[in-house]
């Protein structure tokens, strides 16, 4: 079989499936991407480059669409070269929304196309107006609706699609949702597993917490309101003031991955450090970590905090649960799909920082309950999101789509 995967990043959500398919005898696997770094043995990476940047004069409602078209154009041209060399895929799989998948059905009309559908944008009822004082202006409403244009093109042209969670699936229009199955990417529970008496020592970060009994951890791509960073920092300041032996480890970059930047030119990290008191000797920012160090953080965690708006569910939450962490997590739709309060985690109001602090302390004060909830957290991931099971479901889904298309 010949497979063509598409994503601007590499390998993105497809890493484990790429490895599995490339190792199977007789398969040929190609990947269209803009990323020049990174390799997977047996995967032929094809780089596409945008012809230009989005024009400054482009209307704000359609800047996202123009960027998607530029990706689609560049990916199409790169795929033409593949086709001219004799590579015609039996299946095309691509992340929908960025744009590079938009014209693949025109180039390969006789090949089934599966879209990976991660998110559909809404001005109301999910992430955009989540805060009690947040109100969108008409321009924002129109811009959000317009962001769905490239996704709608893929929803129309794809043969099937899949989405990682039921919450994310529920965001898609009913007339297209029938095309989409819910299949998670999978969590490698053999890698992300508890380690008894784990001690956190990151020499290159000058972090040695081997003698610390209370380690609060937080992980996100960026330090931003979408993942509750300001609320976490405020609640953390309360906990650290009351518990002088407690340390906190924050993994992520000082940037905004989702949503708008902080006002006034400062980052949310800078603003929270100015606003709330901390003992800098007990507050550790690691930046981005390689997987081995990231795993150490999770395994050494006493309490892990995960906060999110009603948005895409982070892998880090499930990986932390797989490591047996006690999670204090936001009582929002994507989280409630996985965590039952008091059973396999503790839920909190996203905006009530005093409650977040209290629940962190509740977990710190009861080691036996903390351990029991951590065991059930890991069981939840093994039962519902284990990598081998999810890969098997994806493979069956891919195979069934190919076979059905041949009828």
């Amino acid at each position: 079989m010949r497979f063509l995967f598409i994503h601007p990043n590499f390998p993105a959500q497809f890493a484990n499936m790429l490895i599995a398919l490339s190792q199977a005898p007789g398969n040929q696997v190609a990947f269209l991407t803009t990323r020049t770094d990174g390799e997977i043995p047996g995967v032929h990476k094809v780089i596409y480059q945008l012809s230009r940047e989005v024009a400054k004069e482009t209307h704000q409602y359609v800047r996202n669409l123009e960027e998607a078209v530029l990706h689609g154009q560049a990916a199409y041209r790169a795929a033409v070269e593949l086709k001219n060399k004799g590579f015609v895929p039996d299946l095309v799989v691509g992340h929908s929304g960025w744009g590079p998948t938009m014209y693949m059905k025109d180039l390969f009309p006789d090949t089934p196309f599966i879209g990976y559908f991660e998110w559909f944008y809404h001005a109301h009822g999910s992430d955009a107006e989540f805060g009690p004082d947040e109100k969108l202006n008409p321009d924002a409403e129109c811009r959000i609706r317009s962001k769905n244009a490239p996704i709608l093109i893929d929803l129309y042209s794809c043969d099937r699609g899949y989405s990682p969670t039921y919450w994310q699936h529920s965001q898609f229009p009913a007339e297209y949702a029938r095309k989409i199955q819910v299949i998670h990417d999978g969590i490698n529970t053999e890698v992300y597993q508890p380690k008894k008496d784990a001690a956190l020592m990151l020499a290159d970060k000058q972090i040695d917490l081997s003698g610390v009994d209370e380690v609060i951890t937080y992980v996100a791509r960026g330090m931003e309101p979408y993942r509750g960073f300001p609320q976490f920092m405020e609640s953390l300041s309360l906990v650290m003031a009351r518990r002088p032996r407690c340390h906190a480890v924050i993994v992520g970059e000082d940037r905004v991955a989702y949503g708008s930047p902080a006002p006034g030119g400062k980052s949310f990290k800078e603003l929270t450090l100015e606003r709330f008191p901390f003992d800098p000797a007990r507050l550790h920012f690691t930046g981005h970590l390689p997987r081995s160090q990231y795993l150490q953080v999770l395994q050494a965690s006493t309490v892990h905090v995960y906060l999110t708006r009603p948005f895409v569910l982070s892998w880090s939450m499930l990986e932390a649960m797989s490591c047996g962490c006690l999670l204090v997590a936001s009582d929002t739709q994507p989280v409630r799909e996985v965590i039952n309060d008091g059973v396999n985690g503790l839920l909190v109001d996203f905006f009530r920082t005093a409650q977040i602090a209290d629940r962190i302390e509740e977990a710190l004060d009861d080691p036996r309950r903390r351990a029991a909830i951590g065991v059930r957290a890991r069981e939840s991931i093994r039962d519902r999101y284990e990598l081998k099971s999810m890969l098997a479901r994806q493979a069956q889904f891919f195979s069934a789509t190919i076979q059905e298309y041949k009828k």
Side-chain angles (χ1 to χ4, degrees), residues 280-313:
R282 295 186 289 127
L283 185 63
H284 312 280
F285 292 94
T286 70
H288 175 76
L289 291 179
R291 187 174 70 172
S292 60
Q293 292 185 330
Y294 164 60
L295 178 60
Q296 285 185 54
V297 171
L298 296 182
Q299 290 174 332
S301 174
T302 314
V303 175
H304 184 78
V305 180
Y306 177 76
L307 306 173
T308 185
R309 287 176 172 236
F311 189 54
V312 173
L313 186 68

Side-chain angles (χ1 to χ4, degrees), residues 210-350:
S210 55
V212 175
D213 295 327
E214 296 181 350
V215 180
I216 299 170
T217 57
Y218 173 93
V219 174
R221 290 174 61 191
M223 301 177 192
E224 60 205 355
Y226 256 69
R227 300 306 189 190
F229 179 75
Q231 289 81 5
F232 167 71
M233 291 294 283
E234 183 175 355
S235 62
L236 181 63
S237 69
L238 297 174
V239 174
M240 294 182 75
R242 300 194 293 241
R243 305 181 83 96
R245 296 180 58 190
C246 167
H247 284 246
V249 179
I250 299 169
V251 179
E253 297 177 311
D254 187 14
R255 67 184 181 97
V256 172
Y258 303 110
S260 302
K266 292 185 178 181
S267 70
F268 288 105
K269 176 184 175 182
E270 291 171 324
L271 291 175
T272 54
L273 289 177
E274 289 175 359
R275 183 178 177 187
F276 307 115
F278 291 99
D279 175 1
R282 295 186 289 127
L283 185 63
H284 312 280
F285 292 94
T286 70
H288 175 76
L289 291 179
R291 187 174 70 172
S292 60
Q293 292 185 330
Y294 164 60
L295 178 60
Q296 285 185 54
V297 171
L298 296 182
Q299 290 174 332
S301 174
T302 314
V303 175
H304 184 78
V305 180
Y306 177 76
L307 306 173
T308 185
R309 287 176 172 236
F311 189 54
V312 173
L313 186 68
S314 305
W315 289 341
S316 67
M317 190 191 95
L318 304 182
E319 290 164 347
M321 293 177 70
S322 184
C323 287
C325 292
L326 183 287
L327 261 74
V328 171
S330 56
D331 189 10
T332 47
Q333 295 96 318
V335 175
R336 287 199 298 269
E337 186 171 322
V338 185
I339 294 180
N340 293 322
D341 186 35
V343 178
N344 59 350
L346 302 179
L347 297 181
V348 292
D349 188 306
F350 183 95

Side-chain angles (χ1 to χ4, degrees), residues 12-30:
Q13 287 91 345
F14 305 121
N16 293 302
M17 180 53 69
L18 290 171
I19 294 170
L21 289 175
S22 63
Q23 291 178 348
N27 283 345
Q28 297 180 43
V29 183

